[in-house]
Amino acid sequence: MTIGLLKQALHVFKHESRSRTTYRVNQWFKWLAPGLFVKRWLLLSAGGVLLTTLGFAIWMKLTPVFYTTQLIGRLLDIIADVIPSQVSGPLAMAGGLLLVWWGQTRTLGSITEVLMPDGDEELIDVLLTHRRLHRGPRIVVIGGGTGLSTLLRGLKEYSANITAIVTVADDGGSSGRLRREIGVLPPGDIRNCLAALADEEKLMTELFQYRFRAGDGLIGHSFGNLFLTAMSEITGDLEQAIAASSRVLAVRGEVLPATLSDVRLWAELTDGRRIEGESQITEARGTIAQIGCIPANPPALPKAVKAIEEADYIVIGPGSLYTSIIPNLLVPEIAEAIAQSPAPSIYVCNIMTQEGETQGYSVGDHIQAIDLACGKHLFEAVLVQKKSPSAKALMRYAQESSNPVPLDRERIGRLGRRVILANVLDEEEHTGVVRHDPQRLARVLVRWYTRTQGLS
């Protein structure tokens, strides 16, 4: 029995050794992959050493070259007398290659220890990922709220060239308090997007979303909102604060406010009421007939317009229709830039209706509301959830007067849009909360974009 166990342990050890060897070989072959910009610099360095040596020899009137070649010739004659050339030659070559391999291994190992002390990933894998992401399409995502940050978590795995254009109309919660008391633009949605795009997303999200539970004036505020507010005071405006915060958080992409104007939303309801303030519109629990902002036609952030003009792909949503998505499109230059862009564009429709905003809305109603708000045809396709949530989730949402958004294909066709059906739902098993799944949503969007490129 003991011998059997020893044989089994030896077999496992051999298997693991072969696996480790195969893994290391595969890792080394990755360094030969095109586009890393490593091999060319190694060859350039070797050429530099050779050129320096030749230059030194010429400067010394070739004397070192003469004596060196004489010495090497004598050594080769002595070695050839002792060991045949057909043996000594391959041995010397093998020794040289071994020294090169050993030197490069130790060099890369030392660099890896400095750059990645935790050893969670191989340096070559990080470099390959970096190159792949920076070659990704230039994606502009427009919206706000938790829907936008959810999408960004998925998209950042496909491209580092992401620009999130975020609404600054929020006036509730911590953002609203800071807006009223300090006079800064609301940082809440921007904070969520920065946390979603950060390299250390889990830790950054926990830190930025942390809300103080004690302290005069601190209760209810999130750390991220206070951080961005402080950065705004230090740098002079929100745009500079976001840029500085992005560097601190190693953000993969860029987050931009749609405008730097102090925008306040208003809505006229079908019952004749006029509601002002983003948080008050939803709480009014009415049917929205028209929406606008004060001041009317706010100027766009130039950098946001430029990002849209240079975009390869434009995604609108997901998020609250009237309080997260449409506020961005009430900035005329933003809507005009989207309408003029040749890039493929798609709207991600919400999975569930929202009381006080889209109660009773179909997918076509969502599209028509966007068209009416900005007066332009901004996107060519709409992404719709394919399967209905579970019965448990439907019962939960029914208590909040919320239901799945019904698909009305014929009407969408009359509105001139294509329908993209996909299962992008993420449902929490215990609570029944329904939201978009970041990875599924991003995968479907990138696949559709790739398909449009193949057709163009």
Side-chain angles (χ1 to χ4, degrees), residues 22-69:
T22 303
Y23 172 76
R24 296 311 308 174
V25 170
N26 289 337
Q27 292 300 105
W28 269 100
F29 270 110
K30 286 181 181 179
W31 286 102
L32 302 177
L36 278 178
F37 304 126
V38 172
K39 301 182 295 297
R40 67 188 64 182
W41 302 123
L42 290 176
L43 290 173
L44 190 65
S45 299
V49 171
L50 179 61
L51 188 61
T52 303
T53 305
L54 289 174
F56 179 74
I58 293 169
W59 185 28
M60 299 302 291
K61 298 182 179 180
L62 303 180
T63 304
V65 175
F66 175 74
Y67 286 116
T68 301
T69 52

Side-chain angles (χ1 to χ4, degrees), residues 281-302:
I281 291 173
T282 304
E283 292 178 5
R285 298 292 189 269
T287 302
I288 297 171
Q290 188 178 0
I291 193 163
C293 64
I294 304 170
N297 304 322
L301 183 73

Side-chain angles (χ1 to χ4, degrees), residues 278 281-282 286-288 320-324 354-359 361:
E278 181 264 350
I281 291 173
T282 304
T287 302
I288 297 171
S320 299
L321 178 64
Y322 285 104
T323 54
S324 291
Q354 184 177 355
E355 187 181 12
E357 287 201 39
T358 57
Q359 191 172 353
Y361 271 40

Side-chain angles (χ1 to χ4, degrees), residues 129-456:
T129 300
H130 176 81
R131 291 295 179 194
R132 176 179 62 81
L133 292 177
H134 282 268
R135 288 173 179 160
R138 291 167 294 187
I139 306 174
V140 170
V141 186
I142 299 166
T146 56
L148 182 59
S149 56
T150 297
L151 172 58
L152 293 176
R153 287 189 186 95
L155 281 181
K156 74 177 185 180
E157 301 302 324
Y158 293 90
S159 178
N161 303 311
I162 301 172
T163 300
I165 298 177
V166 188
T167 175
V168 287
D170 188 11
D171 65 355
S174 171
S175 291
R177 285 170 57 191
L178 292 170
R179 185 175 183 177
R180 290 187 296 272
E181 294 169 9
I182 302 179
V184 296
L185 290 176
D189 288 347
I190 292 168
R191 174 200 80 219
N192 289 333
C193 293
L194 288 173
L197 289 173
D199 271 346
E200 296 293 334
E201 180 201 322
K202 188 176 185 299
L203 177 61
M204 287 300 104
T205 299
E206 290 177 1
L207 178 62
F208 261 47
Q209 305 293 52
Y210 174 79
R211 290 191 181 273
F212 293 92
R213 300 181 180 86
D216 293 337
L218 284 176
I219 296 177
H221 278 305
S222 70
F223 172 81
N225 284 355
L226 296 178
F227 181 85
L228 283 170
T229 300
M231 291 295 279
S232 296
E233 293 290 319
I234 293 169
T235 59
D237 61 45
L238 184 59
E239 182 184 4
Q240 297 300 319
I242 296 170
S245 302
S246 298
R247 289 192 292 271
V248 171
L249 301 175
V251 163
R252 193 181 295 174
E254 192 171 28
V255 181
L256 300 173
T259 177
L260 293 179
S261 296
D262 186 14
V263 173
R264 183 173 175 83
L265 285 183
W266 60 262
E268 290 183 359
L269 309 183
T270 53
D271 59 12
R273 287 181 292 164
R274 179 185 169 95
I275 310 297
E276 291 192 6
E278 181 264 350
S279 60
Q280 299 302 313
I281 291 173
T282 304
E283 292 178 5
R285 298 292 189 269
T287 302
I288 297 171
Q290 188 178 0
I291 193 163
C293 64
I294 304 170
N297 304 322
L301 183 73
K303 205 170 181 181
V305 175
K306 184 179 179 184
I308 296 171
E309 291 172 346
E310 296 177 350
D312 297 319
Y313 187 23
I314 298 173
V315 181
I316 301 173
S320 299
L321 178 64
Y322 285 104
T323 54
S324 291
I325 295 173
I326 287 180
N328 295 288
L329 308 177
L330 294 176
V331 181
E333 293 166 276
I334 296 287
E336 183 63 29
I338 299 171
Q340 296 297 323
S341 173
S345 52
I346 190 169
Y347 167 57
V348 181
C349 191
N350 291 336
I351 299 172
M352 308 296 291
T353 62
Q354 184 177 355
E355 187 181 12
E357 287 201 39
T358 57
Q359 191 172 353
Y361 271 40
S362 66
V363 176
D365 290 324
H366 282 74
I367 296 171
Q368 189 169 33
I370 295 174
D371 288 351
L372 291 174
C374 59
K376 291 179 174 62
H377 187 113
L378 299 186
F379 50 89
E380 58 202 72
V382 56
L383 175 59
V384 183
Q385 167 61 23
K386 187 175 184 179
K387 297 180 180 178
S388 177
S390 68
K392 178 180 180 179
L394 293 176
M395 291 177 61
R396 179 193 184 281
Y397 278 90
Q399 295 173 359
E400 302 172 3
S401 301
S402 178
N403 300 286
V405 178
L407 174 62
D408 44 352
R409 279 184 176 274
E410 290 186 7
R411 186 180 178 192
I412 295 169
R414 290 195 300 271
L415 291 169
R417 267 60 169 220
R418 292 179 55 199
V419 175
I420 311 298
L421 273 176
N423 184 28
V424 291
L425 176 145
D426 176 31
E427 182 179 323
E428 290 186 8
E429 184 178 351
H430 300 294
T431 63
V433 172
V434 169
R435 57 172 61 90
H436 284 98
D437 182 275
Q439 282 70 41
R440 289 179 184 173
L441 180 58
R443 192 184 311 121
V444 170
L445 289 171
V446 171
R447 189 183 300 137
W448 182 76
Y449 166 75
T450 304
R451 198 176 301 138
T452 63
Q453 299 310 291
L455 297 173
S456 61

